[in-house]
């Protein structure tokens, strides 16, 4: 719903999901601020960031929501990701558990939001190739299976971050355009809907009158 | 919020689905139904109820007994139960509604305030915009009030959202708003929401038809029970001892508490945003660097636990229902509000597991068997004294800092004074070393001068008398004597006489203090020193000395002249006193006594001591100077720094001398012209003296 196709401008909400310490915050900071080291960053908060981009002559405003990755906050996921257009599922290539966690998120998101949400699975910390515990093939295979994009990034060395977000935005844009096209087909239905609202009101008033009698 | 009824942390799929099993997601607020099934359910109940009410008195009695329960069931409002009792017919009730409506419009002072605000903020966009805006607001509010008794809050919220959307479309498409810029359109939409919601606040906030109030109480109770939870339990790094952090935490808590006092949903939202920003700041203080959600959420939970805001649930529900949805879910406000929802949800479902503590311990805390001693608690509640202590400590710290600063400064001042003293001593000794020879001639001359004075015509007598009367005269007198001596040394005698005459004349005019003072100032000013110094490098010390003295003498002479003129014409004195000023940057207020001290006085703060003292001082000092001759290198350096300044003083005295001569002969000369002429003449006079 955040995507209000107003002319050629879109608002997309993107949630960052993933286990703690996989580098969600670094990823988004690298993307929005192009900074990695936390020490000399002027932004006081990295949990909510806006990024404006132009893509195919479309003005797109990305609102990127960081989420708390701790296990104890997992249950709060639905509150975060409801009505979001995209999700970035981050795992640490050196941590097998974090990849399993991503699988959990994918299942949950697909169940709750269906295909309306664009997913991208991100293997972060690709600079630590020597400590890799999640094979690239496995991750890619899985991503393909769940119709998600897959990227390998390194927030530290600024590798693949920009591309990842761009690809996600492109996908969200395509989805949004498809959706608006469908909506335009259903414009007639839309007007009917408003009519039904009015009907409801009329009905209820009459009924209440009866009730009072 | 989906998981409100679930103790476990994970939500099972089934819990989220509608109870009817229609496949859509349910909501705790809708008794676990999806929106469609919930509406159907309500319809059914409504019908049931209407049937019951038709059955007569019996059903009414039961309705009273079940009042509490039914109150919540949206279909019938409180009024419905009471109205039949007090009013016989439904027609009365129908008329009652418009009355109520009118009351709202008239009774709500906020609406008037908002109207005024609207006109001041958006009045420039014209009458049409205003009219249309008010028309829309009116239709919206009247619609809501009309439906108030008939619809559930959720349905009212739907209506509200529809209206927001309608108005948004109207803003973008209606011709009335064509001239309005997009930014202002956004603001207008905000204002539309605010205006209507402030008007409707009493009806829509925590409506009696819902169980919002009950939820408020339960969450409040829950938070109270969890009061023992501290930052450590939540794994968030809020340092409880830092004063700064504590202040920020207080502001965060205050902002969160302030939410309840706001009326418009967006204002409540703004409170949440402010609170969250404070939380972010707290975290920044505690850990540095950017704050990620991993740290932010626990901190927010902590703040909510410590704040325990009034009517928290009601407020949140009110915001979710009546804040323009598209706004709510976007932007910073949306994010922070979502986090608040998360925090509340977490608190509702908090278990031992989520605090990483054994079940037994958790239960012990919850039942109050064990009380947790938290530093925060003591900081917040137990120790007001502790708090004061901290404040006082910081105050004392500040005071001690200032004390040390004062001490340092005094020490510095002392050192400076010492240095000055030494400097002066050095100078004096150096001067003494340079001109040991001078002493004798001077001593011999001193009596001579006295003789001269005596031998001189009536004027000298006056001078002597004046000198005795005035303290000021004494030093000058000496100076002149000195100059005479020097002159005698370096120059022919006739000059001596010349010099003497002025000094004699000076004292005679005791009244003309200002003129004297100004002249002295010129002498006393650093410029004089410089002039002296400037001379010294060129010539021998003797020559320089002579010149210095010369200058002083001339100034004196000029003063005399002025005095004389004053005696002759009262006008003269002010003009004379005025002229010296430009040359002497220093204030006219300086004491006359400084003049004798000149060479050293400029640097010495002590020179400004009471005049009487100086007199005592002056005489020996002067003598010394004369003996020693001109001051040396240090002075020279200074001179070179500002050579331009050096010129005026010699000039002035020379001018004055000329004047004095003229003045004595021709008393009436316009002051201005005199000044200029003096300026012009100065260089000549100076050169002539040099040649001499």
């Amino acid at each position: 719903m955040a995507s209000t196709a107003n002319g050629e401008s879109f608002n997309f909400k993107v949630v960052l999901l993933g286990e703690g310490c996989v580098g969600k915050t670094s990823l988004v900071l690298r993307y929005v601020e192009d900074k990695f080291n936390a020490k000399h960053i002027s932004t006081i908060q990295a949990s909510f960031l806006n990024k404006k981009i132009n893509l195919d002559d479309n003005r797109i405003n990305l609102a990127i929501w960081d989420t708390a990755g701790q296990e104890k906050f997992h249950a709060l996921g639905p509150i975060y990701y409801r009505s979001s257009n995209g999700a970035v599922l981050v795992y640490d290539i050196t941590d097998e558990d974090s990849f399993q966690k991503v699988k959990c998120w994918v299942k949950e998101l697909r169940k709750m939001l269906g295909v309306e949400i664009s997913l991208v699975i991100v293997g972060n910390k690709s600079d630590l190739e020597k400590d890799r515990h999640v094979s690239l093939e496995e991750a890619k295979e899985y991503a393909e299976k769940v119709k998600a994009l897959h990227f390998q990034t390194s927030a530290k060395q600024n590798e693949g971050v920009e591309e990842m977000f761009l690809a996600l935005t492109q996908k969200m844009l395509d989805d949004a355009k498809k959706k608006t096209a469908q909506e335009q087909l259903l414009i007639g239905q839309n007007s009917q809907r408003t009519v039904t609202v009015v009907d409801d009101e009329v009905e209820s008033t009459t009924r209440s009158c009866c009730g009072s009698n | 919020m989906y998981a409100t009824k679930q103790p476990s942390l994970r939500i099972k799929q089934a819990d989220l689905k509608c109870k009817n099993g229609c496949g859509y997601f349910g909501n705790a607020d809708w008794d676990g139904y999806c929106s469609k099934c919930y509406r159907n359910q309500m319809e059914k109940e409504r019908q049931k109820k209407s049937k019951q009410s038709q059955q007569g008195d019996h059903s009414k009695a039961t309705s009273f007994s079940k009042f509490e329960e039914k109150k919540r069931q949206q279909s019938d409002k409180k009024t419905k139960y009471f109205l039949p009792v007090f009013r016989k017919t439904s027609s009365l009730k129908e008329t009652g509604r418009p009355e109520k409506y009118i009351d709202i419009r008239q009774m709500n002072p906020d609406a008037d305030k908002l109207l005024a605000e609207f006109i001041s903020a958006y009045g420039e966009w014209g009458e049409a915009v205003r009219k249309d805006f008010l028309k829309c607001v009116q239709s919206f509010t009247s619609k809501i009030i009309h439906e108030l008794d008939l619809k559930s809050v959720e349905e009212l919220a739907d209506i509200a959202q529809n209206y927001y959307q309608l108005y948004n479309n109207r803003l973008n498409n209606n011709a009335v708003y064509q001239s309005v810029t997009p930014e202002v359109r956004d603001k207008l939409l905000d204002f539309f929401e605010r205006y209507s919601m402030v008007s409707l606040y009493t009806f829509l906030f925590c409506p009696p038809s819902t169980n919002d109030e009950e939820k408020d109480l339960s969450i409040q109770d829950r938070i109270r029970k969890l009061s023992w939870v501290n930052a450590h339990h939540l794994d968030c790094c809020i340092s409880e001892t830092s004063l700064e952090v504590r202040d920020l935490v207080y502001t965060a808590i205050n902002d969160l508490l302030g939410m309840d006092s706001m009326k418009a949903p967006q204002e409540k939202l703004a409170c949440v945003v402010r609170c969250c920003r404070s939380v972010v700041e707290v975290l920044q203080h505690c850990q540095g660097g950017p704050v990620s959600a991993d740290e932010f959420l626990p901190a927010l939970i902590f703040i909510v636990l410590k704040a325990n805001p009034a009517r928290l649930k009601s407020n949140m529900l009110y915001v979710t229902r009546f804040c323009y949805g598209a706004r709510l879910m976007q932007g910073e406000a949306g994010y922070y509000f979502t986090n608040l929802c998360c925090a509340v949800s977490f608190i509702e479902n908090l278990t031992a597991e989520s605090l990483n503590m054994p079940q037994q311990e958790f239960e012990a805390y919850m039942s109050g068997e064990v009380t947790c001693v938290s530093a925060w608690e003591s900081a917040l509640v137990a120790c007001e004294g502790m708090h004061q202590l901290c404040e006082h400590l910081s105050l004392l710290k500040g005071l001690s800092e200032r004390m040390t600063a004062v001490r340092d400064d005094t020490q510095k001042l002392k050192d400076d004074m010492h240095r000055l003293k030494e400097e002066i001593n050095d100078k004096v000794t150096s001067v003494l070393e340079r001109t040991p020879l001078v002493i004798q001639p001077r001593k011999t001359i001193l009596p001579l001068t006295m003789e001269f004075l005596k031998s001189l015509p009536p004027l000298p007598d006056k001078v002597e008398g004046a000198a005795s009367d005035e303290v000021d005269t004494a030093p000058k007198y000496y100076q002149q004597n000195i100059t005479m001596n020097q002159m005698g040394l370096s120059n022919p005698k006739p000059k001596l006489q010349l010099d003497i005459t002025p000094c004699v004349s000076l004292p005679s005019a005791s009244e003309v203090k200002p003129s004297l003072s100004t002249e002295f100032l010129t002498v006393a000013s650093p410029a004089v020193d410089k002039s002296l110094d400037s001379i010294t490098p060129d010539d021998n010390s003797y020559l320089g000395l002579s010149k210095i003295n010369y200058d002083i003498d001339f100034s004196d002479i000029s003063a005399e002249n002025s005095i004389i003129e004053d005696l002759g014409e009262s006008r003269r004195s002010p003009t004379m006193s005025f002229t010296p000023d430009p040359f002497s940057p220093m204030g006219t207020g300086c004491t006359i006594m400084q003049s004798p001290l000149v060479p050293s006085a400029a640097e010495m703060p002590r020179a400004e001591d009471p005049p009487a003292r100086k007199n005592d001082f002056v005489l020996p000092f002067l003598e010394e100077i004369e003996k020693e001759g001109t001051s040396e290198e240090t002075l020279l350096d200074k001179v070179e720094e500002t050579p331009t300044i050096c010129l005026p003083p010699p000039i002035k005295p020379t001018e004055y001398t000329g004047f004095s001569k003229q003045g004595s002969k021709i008393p009436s000369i316009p002051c201005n012209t005199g000044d200029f002429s003096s300026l012009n003449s100065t260089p000549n006079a100076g050169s002539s003296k040099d040649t001499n």
Side-chain angles (χ1 to χ4, degrees), chain A:
Chain A
M1 76 159 232
S3 65
T4 50
N6 185 9
E8 288 181 330
S9 74
F10 295 84
N11 287 311
F12 290 137
K13 174 181 158 186
V14 178
V15 282
L16 283 168
L17 298 167
E19 206 174 73
C21 301
V22 294
K24 298 189 294 291
T25 312
S26 305
L27 212 58
V28 70
L29 269 179
R30 171 59 88 185
Y31 180 57
V32 177
E33 303 259 323
D34 194 22
K35 281 168 184 166
F36 178 73
N37 196 333
K39 273 173 191 170
H40 44 75
I41 277 176
S42 54
T43 31
I44 55 165
Q45 61 108 6
S47 47
F48 172 80
L49 290 162
N50 268 315
K51 175 92 174 177
K52 289 191 169 76
I53 47 174
N54 284 313
L55 192 65
D56 304 341
D57 293 332
N58 296 299
R59 274 167 294 134
I60 295 160
N61 187 20
L62 285 185
I64 305 169
W65 291 29
D66 195 6
T67 63
Q70 294 96 317
E71 177 61 35
K72 63 181 170 186
F73 297 128
H74 184 98
L76 306 173
I79 304 174
Y80 278 121
Y81 61 65
R82 75 175 159 208
S83 77
S84 56
N85 307 78
V88 179
L89 304 155
V90 191
Y91 69 90
D92 180 351
I93 63 161
T94 65
D95 183 359
E96 172 66 28
D97 284 347
S98 68
F99 186 62
Q100 292 310 316
K101 183 76 185 251
V102 163
K103 287 182 179 177
C104 287
W105 279 118
V106 169
K107 269 180 217 156
E108 191 175 327
L109 285 169
R110 285 287 179 229
K111 272 179 196 162
M112 303 289 283
L113 301 170
V115 290
E116 282 184 22
I117 187 166
S118 310
L119 301 182
V120 57
I121 296 170
V122 177
N124 196 26
K125 307 192 185 177
S126 64
D127 49 300
L128 300 173
E129 183 64 40
K130 56 177 167 38
D131 296 324
R132 176 186 281 278
H133 282 93
V134 182
S135 79
L136 184 61
E137 291 72 31
E138 186 195 344
K140 276 192 168 167
E141 205 176 297
Y142 177 75
E144 209 171 314
K145 202 174 81 186
V146 296
K147 287 174 188 162
L149 302 169
H150 183 270
F151 277 88
Q152 278 209 96
T153 59
S154 166
K156 192 177 180 180
Q157 291 170 357
N158 197 8
E159 285 169 7
V161 180
E162 187 91 30
E163 292 85 341
M164 182 268 287
F165 275 103
L166 206 64
L168 176 64
T169 312
Q170 185 69 60
K171 200 176 175 201
M172 287 191 294
L173 186 65
D174 294 344
D175 286 358
K177 282 192 169 167
K178 245 185 259 170
K179 206 177 160 190
T180 48
Q182 280 176 355
E183 269 172 13
Q184 271 171 352
L185 285 174
L186 298 172
I187 267 179
Q189 253 189 346
N190 248 342
S191 61
Q192 270 182 9
R193 250 183 237 159
T194 52
V195 171
T196 53
V197 170
V198 176
D199 283 351
D200 258 13
E201 285 155 13
V202 172
E203 275 173 40
S204 55
T205 44
T206 52
R207 220 166 270 145
S208 74
C209 285
C210 297
S212 66
N213 289 334

Side-chain angles (χ1 to χ4, degrees), chain A residues 25 29 38 44 46-48 65-72 75-76 79-80 112 200-201 204 207-208 211 213, chain B residues 9-10 16 25 39 43 53 90 143 150-151 280 284 289-294 331-332 335-336 338-339 342 354:
Chain A
T25 312
L29 269 179
I44 55 165
S47 47
F48 172 80
W65 291 29
D66 195 6
T67 63
Q70 294 96 317
E71 177 61 35
K72 63 181 170 186
L76 306 173
I79 304 174
Y80 278 121
M112 303 289 283
D200 258 13
E201 285 155 13
S204 55
R207 220 166 270 145
S208 74
N213 289 334
Chain B
L9 285 169
R10 289 295 181 119
L16 296 165
F25 291 108
R39 192 173 290 182
E43 295 276 282
S53 65
S90 65
K143 169 86 176 168
L150 314 170
K151 299 239 171 167
V280 168
Q284 267 234 311
V291 177
S292 74
D294 289 357
E332 204 179 11
Y335 180 73
Y336 285 140
T338 304
N339 268 294
C342 287
S354 51

Side-chain angles (χ1 to χ4, degrees), chain B residues 271 323 437 601:
Chain B
C271 286
C323 203
L437 289 169

Side-chain angles (χ1 to χ4, degrees), chain B residues 97-354:
Chain B
R97 242 179 243 149
E99 273 170 32
K100 197 163 117 198
Y101 167 70
I102 291 160
D103 278 354
I104 304 152
R105 301 290 306 162
Q106 288 172 346
M107 297 285 284
N108 197 340
D110 290 325
D112 289 340
K113 243 185 266 170
L114 280 169
L115 184 62
E117 198 187 319
F118 174 79
I119 288 166
S120 71
Y122 308 105
E124 58 180 303
W125 299 106
E127 186 73 2
V129 170
R130 190 177 67 90
K131 268 188 182 164
D132 191 71
F133 176 82
L134 290 177
K135 198 182 87 189
C136 290
V137 169
Q138 203 147 336
S139 82
F140 173 41
T141 49
S142 59
K143 169 86 176 168
I144 291 277
I145 288 167
H146 192 70
E147 302 282 349
L148 207 56
D149 297 342
L150 314 170
K151 299 239 171 167
S152 73
V153 183
E154 303 305 334
E155 284 166 310
L156 290 175
D158 282 348
I159 294 170
Q161 296 295 344
N162 269 342
Y163 265 93
Y164 294 147
Q165 191 57 50
L166 279 174
Y167 189 66
N168 191 19
N169 293 342
R170 196 180 176 84
L171 274 173
N172 288 321
N173 301 322
N174 198 303
V176 173
Y177 299 99
Q178 219 158 29
S179 61
V180 181
T181 58
E183 296 87 47
V184 178
R185 278 179 200 172
D186 279 0
K187 279 184 190 160
L188 268 174
L189 183 58
D190 279 348
F191 204 81
F192 176 78
E193 179 197 309
R194 213 173 116 207
Y195 196 119
S196 37
M197 277 306 133
V198 168
S199 313
L200 295 166
Y201 178 74
T202 42
F203 307 104
L204 297 181
F205 181 78
C206 189
S209 56
T210 61
N211 62 349
D212 290 359
E213 201 175 343
E214 206 171 283
K215 284 181 197 158
D216 288 339
L217 293 176
S218 74
I219 186 80
Q220 204 157 9
D221 194 47
R222 174 84 177 163
I223 291 173
R224 213 174 287 141
K225 274 184 188 163
L226 290 168
S227 63
W228 50 270
V229 175
N230 61 28
H232 188 71
H233 290 131
L234 294 165
D235 289 331
C236 70
C237 54
I238 291 180
S239 75
E240 301 174 357
T241 45
S242 160
L243 261 181
E244 229 169 321
V245 169
R246 202 179 302 161
D247 283 349
L248 279 170
V249 169
Y250 282 135
T251 49
I253 287 173
N254 276 335
D255 286 332
L256 196 57
L257 292 177
M259 184 168 75
D260 190 47
S261 60
M262 297 297 169
K263 283 190 170 172
Q266 52 185 286
E267 285 169 340
K268 288 180 189 289
L269 213 53
C271 286
V272 175
V273 171
R274 274 204 299 277
C275 166
C276 290
R277 285 194 181 144
S278 300
V279 172
V280 168
E281 259 183 84
V282 167
L283 289 172
Q284 267 234 311
H285 265 285
C286 296
Q287 62 176 30
V291 177
S292 74
D294 289 357
E295 297 121 17
F296 175 73
L297 187 58
L300 185 63
I301 291 167
F302 174 73
I303 295 293
V304 173
L305 278 176
K306 290 307 154 199
N308 197 359
R311 303 195 283 181
L312 178 60
K313 270 278 181 176
S314 292
N315 279 306
M316 284 167 60
L317 287 168
Y318 178 68
V319 172
T320 36
R321 283 169 190 156
F322 296 108
C323 203
Y324 181 41
R327 286 290 156 81
L328 181 58
M329 293 326 292
Q330 280 170 30
E332 204 179 11
Y335 180 73
Y336 285 140
F337 187 73
T338 304
N339 268 294
L340 182 64
C341 292
C342 287
V344 171
S345 173
F346 181 81
I347 289 166
E348 282 171 339
N349 301 311
L350 195 129
T351 60
E353 193 192 334
S354 51

